[in-house]
Amino acid sequence: MEFAEVVRRRRMVRNYDPDRPVPPDVVDRLLDHAVRAPSAGFAQGWGFLVLETPEDRERFWTAATPGGGGRERWLAGMRRAPLIVVPHANRSAYLERYAEPDKGWADRSAERWPVPYWYVDTGFAALLMLLTAVDEGLGACFFGIPPERLDAYREAFGVPAEYQPIGAVTVGYRAADHRSPSLRRGRRPVGEVVRRGRWS
């Protein structure tokens, strides 16, 4: 598929065919592409938890899903995904990398960073997975793990303290689903969000 078509087709998919697993070679490509994301200082401070078995996926939904909230329809479709990948950011990998001689921030202070690139870079990796899914004829959705469920998620999967999940990605073959009501807002035109030369 042409790259422009991949970008045009990318959308968050919230319902999957539960009877069609993601082929192992496609799972490998999703992850191979994810680790090609840019990272500050080539720190590569990310870690990916891959959940493919029904037991692991059920443990994820049990740990990461808040009770109530009127999200039953959304959750029903998302739970059908045969693959969940949880990208994690590791801040300490960046602080250590930038304390090395070629960078020289020996104090390892997070205050030196204009933005937390450990999250930015892990987000880049997640986006590459979303685009790869489209290129492979699959659907995918990136969504957050509620803060109040993070401890339960960490405990369920033994996630080390230095790794922070930035969200989760469901992947699978698309099934019919409803369009997000948010799409009614419409895409903002390029001319409304781009400034050239100076802001005003």
Side-chain angles (χ1 to χ4, degrees), residues 61-185:
W61 292 115
T62 298
T65 305
R71 299 169 49 133
E72 290 76 15
R73 183 172 72 165
W74 177 88
L75 185 58
M78 293 289 277
R79 287 179 73 112
R80 293 185 186 110
L83 173 66
I84 304 168
V85 180
V86 185
H88 300 75
N90 182 348
R91 180 178 78 163
S92 62
Y94 286 77
L95 302 185
E96 291 298 319
R97 170 67 185 101
Y98 274 75
E100 292 176 16
D102 64 321
K103 299 296 183 186
W105 293 354
D107 60 3
R108 293 170 175 77
S109 172
E111 301 301 316
R112 290 183 177 273
W113 292 79
V115 296
Y117 275 92
W118 37 96
Y119 297 137
V120 173
D121 296 348
T122 307
F124 287 154
L127 178 58
L128 286 179
M129 285 192 284
L130 296 176
L131 294 175
T132 301
V134 173
D135 194 46
E136 295 287 346
L138 298 166
C141 185
F142 179 89
F143 60 99
I145 298 173
E148 68 273 16
R149 303 303 302 167
L150 287 175
D151 288 343
Y153 163 76
R154 286 180 177 284
E155 183 176 340
F157 294 100
V159 178
E162 66 267 23
Y163 284 91
Q164 175 70 30
I166 66 155
V169 180
T170 49
V171 184
Y173 290 92
R174 291 172 60 169
D177 67 351
H178 63 282
R179 289 173 60 84
S180 168
S182 298
L183 294 176
R184 293 187 197 117
R185 297 167 55 90

Side-chain angles (χ1 to χ4, degrees), residues 34-49:
V35 299
R36 295 194 62 82
S39 66
F42 208 44
Q44 304 168 77
W46 43 53
F48 303 91
L49 179 63

